[in-house]
């Protein structure tokens, strides 16, 4: 029942904020969506750190969850820097540098954490060793890379063109685009881990991580479509923010599910790295 509640929570989170956003109307909409954005990041941060602290110091999965949580912490710090009570004390250059640094570091830790979580099954030596499984894994990963590039390719080319034209601020967007591309592609190995654990308690953390990744794919696709086709953003903001909220909330649920599984004595045994 705990796991099913964790799976249902992100849907409730997104629906509640969508209803509140619709009720708020034009004047109150920005505040509601900004709150949803920040609360979602806080939830993901809490879920990751709760999961990390379930493991002993030095454990592979402790570091994997910690790096994922560090991403959300850095993104939140970047948001704080952009708030008026901080931004007014910084020059434009200092503000751009601080926000850009947090964005780049956040995307770097996101890639590292997602990569480590995606490889947990392999590092533990539990990956299926037959040719059919390896082929299936390669095909799924290739499909994920294709989908990822289809979604993030246009923004990446657009931002690369802006950088070539002398817009140094576009370098931050490029870092974000590359981070999104890699993390979206890593949804495939996370999904394979969830499928490999079917029938066991550990299917819940990796299954919820997979759904979070799919929600991020949907968010990036929707956001890219809005920009590419010049859709009136106000009309789609509630939808795109609901998808981002879903992605963050599912990450929270995955972390909590990992904590419950470890507390119950069920875990992936990942050996420490060789000295």
């Amino acid at each position: 029942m705990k796991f099913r509640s964790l799976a249902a929570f992100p849907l409730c989170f997104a629906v509640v904020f969508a209803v509140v956003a619709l009720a708020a109307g034009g004047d109150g909409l920005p505040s509601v969506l900004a709150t949803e954005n920040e609360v979602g990041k806080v939830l993901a941060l809490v879920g990751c750190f709760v999961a990390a602290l379930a493991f002993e110091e030095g454990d592979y999965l402790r570091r994997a969850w910690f790096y994922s949580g560090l991403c959300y912490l850095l993104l939140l710090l970047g948001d704080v820097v952009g708030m008026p009570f901080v931004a007014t004390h910084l020059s434009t250059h200092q503000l751009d540098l601080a926000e850009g640094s947090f964005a780049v570091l956040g995307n770097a830790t996101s890639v590292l954490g997602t990569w480590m979580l995606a490889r947990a099954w392999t590092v533990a030596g539990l990956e299926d060793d037959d040719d059919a499984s390896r082929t299936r894994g390669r095909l799924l990963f290739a499909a994920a890379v294709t989908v990822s590039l289809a979604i993030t390719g246009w923004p990446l080319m657009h931002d690369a063109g802006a950088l070539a034209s002398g817009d140094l601020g576009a370098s931050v967007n490029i870092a974000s685009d590359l981070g999104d591309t890699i993390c979206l592609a890593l949804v495939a190995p996370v999904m394979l881990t969830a499928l490999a654990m079917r029938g066991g308690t550990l299917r819940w953390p990796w299954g919820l991580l997979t759904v979070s990744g799919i929600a991020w794919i949907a968010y990036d696709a929707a956001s890219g479509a809005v920009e590419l086709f010049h859709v009136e953003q106000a009309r789609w903001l509630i939808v795109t923010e609901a998808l981002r909220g879903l992605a963050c909330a599912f990450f929270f649920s995955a972390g909590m599910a990992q904590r419950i599984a470890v507390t119950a004595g069920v875990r992936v045994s990942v050996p420490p790295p060789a000295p």
Side-chain angles (χ1 to χ4, degrees):
M1 181 60 72
K2 290 180 180 178
F3 293 119
R4 295 183 187 279
S5 298
L6 287 172
F9 169 74
L11 300 174
C12 296
F13 175 82
V15 168
V16 167
F17 268 102
V19 171
V20 173
L22 287 170
D27 293 337
L29 183 61
S31 297
V32 173
L33 296 183
T35 301
E36 181 180 14
N37 182 9
E38 302 307 320
V39 172
K41 290 175 185 174
V42 170
L43 283 172
L45 168 65
V46 170
C48 290
F49 281 1
V50 164
L53 294 175
F55 295 93
E56 297 177 358
E57 188 172 350
D59 192 290
Y60 178 91
L61 283 175
R62 181 186 178 101
R63 288 182 284 118
W65 282 105
F66 172 76
Y67 287 131
S68 295
L70 186 57
C71 161
Y72 290 101
L73 176 60
L74 289 167
L75 294 179
L76 283 166
L77 289 174
D79 292 342
V80 170
V81 169
M83 291 180 177
F85 68 90
V86 176
T88 53
H89 298 286
L90 300 174
S91 66
T92 302
H93 175 71
Q94 290 173 327
L95 181 61
D96 290 342
L97 180 62
E99 290 183 329
S101 298
F102 283 126
V104 171
L105 290 173
N107 278 280
T109 54
S110 175
V111 169
L112 180 57
T114 304
W115 179 75
M116 292 182 70
L117 287 170
R119 293 189 69 248
W121 195 242
T122 302
V123 173
L126 301 173
E127 187 177 33
D128 290 335
D129 224 4
D130 58 282
D131 291 338
S133 296
R134 285 197 294 269
T135 300
R136 184 169 59 249
R138 291 186 188 118
L139 289 174
L140 184 58
F141 182 68
V145 170
T146 301
V147 171
S148 175
L149 289 174
I151 293 172
T152 61
W154 181 83
L156 182 58
M157 289 189 296
H158 177 270
D159 293 328
L163 180 62
S165 300
D167 181 7
L168 297 180
S171 60
V172 175
N173 293 333
I174 290 174
S176 178
D177 295 337
L178 290 173
D180 287 346
T181 302
I182 297 171
C183 287
L184 295 184
L186 289 174
V187 171
V190 172
M191 180 184 297
L192 286 174
T193 301
L195 292 174
M197 294 177 179
R198 59 186 178 274
T201 302
L202 283 174
R203 76 185 187 277
W204 285 101
W206 266 265
L208 292 168
L209 278 174
T210 300
V211 179
S212 174
I214 292 172
W216 278 121
I217 290 174
Y219 168 76
D220 281 342
S223 299
V226 167
E227 186 174 355
L228 180 61
F229 297 110
H230 305 290
V231 179
E232 186 180 347
Q233 292 194 9
R235 187 178 301 174
W236 288 95
L237 275 176
I238 295 175
V239 175
T240 55
E241 288 303 319
L243 290 170
R244 175 156 54 182
L246 270 178
C248 291
F250 270 115
F251 223 115
F252 163 80
S253 293
M256 299 304 293
Q258 177 74 90
R259 176 79 185 197
I260 293 171
V262 173
T263 302
V266 181
R267 57 174 292 175
V268 179
S269 181
V270 180

